[in-house]
């Protein structure tokens, strides 16, 4: 059974940093595309990043480009989202998702991902 668990969320001041982790079990992460999404209250789920299999391509949503960095460690079955220069608009529940289908990460859309974590809250506030 595939399980995905996010961690690392919390409260941070504007301009601060957080590093989210996504631990996967029940799979060999190498063959899976990894997506990060977020959802703020009253808003639709937004694609944050997508890492293709073998880390060949990483795509970011426009709102986080230059501030967030996604990475993966297949050996540890873990993905990471380093978030720098955080803004109040980054406040949301952040989700990690994985999928085994071939995916080029040309676009980041939730419907392409089968397995989801429960989410971790990130709050950016002074």
């Amino acid at each position: 059974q595939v399980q995905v668990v996010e961690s690392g969320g919390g409260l941070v001041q504007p301009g601060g940093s957080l590093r989210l982790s996504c631990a996967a079990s029940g799979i060999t992460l190498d063959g899976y595309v990894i997506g990060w999404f977020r959802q703020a209250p009253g808003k639709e789920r937004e694609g944050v990043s997508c890492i293709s299999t073998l880390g060949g391509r990483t795509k970011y949503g426009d709102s986080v480009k230059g501030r967030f960095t996604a990475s993966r460690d297949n050996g540890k079955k873990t993905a990471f989202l380093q978030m720098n220069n955080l803004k109040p608009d980054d406040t949301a529940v952040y989700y990690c998702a994985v999928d085994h289908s071939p995916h080029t990460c040309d676009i980041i859309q939730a419907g392409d991902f089968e397995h989801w974590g429960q989410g971790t809250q990130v709050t950016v506030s002074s």
Side-chain angles (χ1 to χ4, degrees):
Q1 181 178 0
V2 180
Q3 287 192 320
V4 178
V5 179
E6 304 94 337
S7 61
L11 173 65
V12 63
Q13 292 187 342
S17 298
L18 279 176
R19 189 192 196 204
L20 304 183
S21 297
C22 169
S25 61
I27 60 172
T28 301
L29 192 59
D30 308 48
Y32 283 72
V33 59
I34 302 168
W36 285 95
F37 295 82
R38 67 186 183 185
Q39 189 164 20
K43 295 186 177 181
E44 293 186 355
R45 189 164 295 191
E46 176 189 6
V48 174
S49 75
C50 178
I51 310 177
S52 65
T53 55
L54 302 179
R57 176 174 182 168
T58 306
K59 184 176 178 67
Y60 298 94
D62 289 341
S63 61
V64 306
K65 280 180 183 177
R67 300 187 297 122
F68 290 13
T69 303
S71 61
R72 62 193 294 165
D73 185 333
N74 291 333
K76 295 182 178 179
K77 296 185 180 182
T78 304
F80 304 95
L81 185 67
Q82 177 67 42
M83 306 185 296
N84 297 328
N85 190 22
L86 283 160
K87 305 174 181 180
D89 284 349
D90 294 319
T91 296
V93 177
Y94 283 70
Y95 299 90
C96 176
V98 300
D99 195 85
H100 197 236
S101 299
H103 199 297
T104 60
C105 289
D106 288 337
I107 57 174
I108 311 171
Q109 56 184 17
D112 289 340
F113 292 84
E114 180 178 1
H115 307 287
W116 290 77
Q118 81 291 348
T120 185
Q121 177 70 47
V122 171
T123 302
V124 185
S125 175
S126 56

